[in-house]
């Protein structure tokens, strides 16, 4: 009986490296699995309507224009202030 346990454990040890070596799928199988998972995740995305995208884009453009105008106004004011300060000194 002791001999049976010894042979079983040595057989398992002999099988383990072979299984570990072959247990990793090939690069192409892993890449295919990754592509399938990407496709499944893309199906879960809830896309916004084109009207919502258009509205949001318009809002962003308007805010950018307003911000640029305010920044330009502040820049012009500080530039004149520095010019006047330079004339005094």
């Amino acid at each position: 009986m002791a001999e049976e346990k010894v042979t079983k454990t040595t057989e398992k040890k002999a099988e383990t490296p072979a299984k570990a070596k072959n247990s990793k799928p090939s690069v192409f199988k892993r890449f295919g699995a990754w592509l399938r998972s990407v496709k499944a995740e893309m199906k879960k995305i809830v896309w916004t309507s084109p009207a919502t995208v258009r509205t949001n884009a318009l809002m962003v453009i308007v805010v950018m224009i307003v911000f640029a105008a305010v920044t330009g106004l502040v820049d012009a004011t500080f530039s004149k202030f520095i010019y006047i300060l330079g004339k005094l000194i």
Side-chain angles (χ1 to χ4, degrees), residues 42-66:
M42 290 296 284
K43 287 182 180 179
K44 294 179 186 178
I45 296 174
V46 178
W47 298 98
T48 58
S49 67
T52 305
V53 172
R54 199 174 308 114
T55 303
N56 290 344
L58 185 63
M59 286 175 59
V60 167
I61 291 169
V62 168
V63 168
M64 285 176 48
I65 290 171
V66 169

Side-chain angles (χ1 to χ4, degrees), residues 13-89:
K13 286 182 183 177
E15 292 176 13
T16 305
K19 284 185 180 179
K21 189 175 185 182
N22 295 332
S23 66
K24 190 173 182 181
S26 70
V27 173
F28 298 110
K29 287 183 181 180
R30 288 185 291 166
F31 185 69
W34 179 76
L35 283 178
R36 283 189 294 278
S37 69
V38 167
K39 184 178 177 182
E41 290 295 324
M42 290 296 284
K43 287 182 180 179
K44 294 179 186 178
I45 296 174
V46 178
W47 298 98
T48 58
S49 67
T52 305
V53 172
R54 199 174 308 114
T55 303
N56 290 344
L58 185 63
M59 286 175 59
V60 167
I61 291 169
V62 168
V63 168
M64 285 176 48
I65 290 171
V66 169
F67 185 74
V70 169
T71 303
L73 197 67
V74 170
D75 182 49
T77 304
F78 282 135
S79 294
K80 289 202 183 227
F81 177 72
I82 289 175
Y83 179 73
I84 291 171
L85 191 64
K87 282 214 168 199
L88 290 175
I89 297 178

